[in-house]
Amino acid sequence: MKRLSSALLAAGLMAMSVPALAEPYVDYTPQKGYWQINAIEVDPNHVDDYLTGLRTSQVSGFEVLKRRGMIDDYKFMVRNGYVKGSPNVMIMTHSPTSANLDADKARDKAIEKEMYAAFSKKQGDAAVAGYEKYRTFIDDAQWTAVDMAK
């Protein structure tokens, strides 16, 4: 009897631990495009400096990418609170399609030229040199949004 109870208990626990398998397009629907998210740890005493630098070094480039249809949105997020080794700034761009990842020399060179007209390579190199004193990249990944079924 004791063995039977133990076996039933074990079977019950196994049944509860089997995860339900989600079905794409039934339980959730992947959305088109993707978010490129850079998660950065910035020394908490320099977050304002970093954001000010990003305003001049990144926003003009993101606006070029928007005009060219490469991205349709961008965001900067700052975490309230600080934990060493964890990101406290995120730089996010949304691309409407993964096809934008395909190489296109003429397009890419034109975008580069337009970006350097707004913020030169020399300015970019100087900005990055300043950033490196107080930032560490934690993660750089592409994320796809999903809509959950109701």
Side-chain angles (χ1 to χ4, degrees), residues 44-53:
N45 297 316
H46 290 281
V47 171
D48 289 339
D49 298 333
Y50 190 54
L51 294 175
T52 299

Side-chain angles (χ1 to χ4, degrees), residues 9 12 18 20-21 29 35 37 41 45 58 83 88 97-98 106 109 115 124 136 139:
L9 179 62
V18 174
L21 297 177
T29 303
W35 282 95
I37 301 176
E41 178 187 10
N45 297 316
Q58 293 286 306
V83 175
N88 56 347
T97 176
S98 298
K109 288 292 188 180
M115 285 179 156
T136 303
D139 190 22

Side-chain angles (χ1 to χ4, degrees), residues 46-87:
H46 290 281
V47 171
D48 289 339
D49 298 333
Y50 190 54
L51 294 175
T52 299
L54 290 176
R55 182 176 49 83
T56 57
S57 66
Q58 293 286 306
V59 172
S60 59
F62 290 162
E63 287 297 324
V64 168
L65 293 172
K66 275 181 86 167
R67 283 193 299 277
R68 297 284 188 142
M70 298 297 290
I71 64 173
D72 56 9
D73 195 9
Y74 61 90
K75 299 174 191 234
F76 299 90
M77 298 184 75
V78 178
R79 176 181 173 177
N80 291 322
Y82 177 73
V83 175
K84 180 111 177 105
S86 296

Side-chain angles (χ1 to χ4, degrees), residues 11-30:
L13 289 174
M14 284 178 34
M16 288 190 314
S17 66
V18 174
L21 297 177
E23 293 185 51
Y25 303 101
V26 174
D27 297 311
Y28 66 92
T29 303

